[in-house]
Amino acid sequence: MIKVSCKQLTNWIQQKQPVMIKTAQVETTFLIVKLYEDARKMFAYDRYAKLTQIALDDIISIQPVRIDGSFYLENRLVKAIG
């Protein structure tokens, strides 16, 4: 279970803050785009611009990260943060 409030998650969404999310299956960087508090899930883009649904109950830890530079996938810009 995460120790971050839904208010903090909403702030990170508004600031377009990338976050490192750790679940039992994976630990990777995401850009959260939508939070559904009542359904206890959120939607986020991974570094390959793939939209992923993440259940809040599956999250072990979440923390903001800083990414410098850009990510490229097959010669197209996926996202640039920093």
Side-chain angles (χ1 to χ4, degrees):
M1 184 62 181
I2 61 173
K3 296 178 182 176
V4 175
S5 69
C6 288
K7 182 178 179 182
Q8 183 61 53
L9 289 172
T10 302
N11 286 340
W12 289 338
I13 291 168
Q14 292 171 348
Q15 297 169 0
K16 296 184 170 129
Q17 173 68 52
V19 294
M20 177 67 69
I21 297 176
K22 181 178 181 182
T23 66
Q25 293 82 20
V26 69
E27 179 176 355
T28 192
T29 303
F30 289 97
L31 184 62
I32 306 169
V33 292
K34 187 69 177 171
L35 173 67
Y36 293 99
E37 291 181 53
D38 54 342
R40 307 257 329 128
K41 65 181 174 181
M42 65 181 166
F43 288 90
Y45 284 108
D46 65 10
R47 57 186 345 167
Y48 301 107
K50 179 182 173 196
L51 188 63
T52 304
Q53 176 182 317
I54 303 168
L56 295 180
D57 295 332
D58 293 343
I59 297 175
I60 296 171
S61 68
I62 184 170
Q63 61 186 7
V65 295
R66 178 166 173 83
I67 299 174
D68 293 322
S70 302
F71 294 97
Y72 287 90
L73 179 64
E74 297 174 5
N75 295 325
R76 84 182 153 95
L77 180 65
V78 174
K79 71 181 166 186
I81 300 171

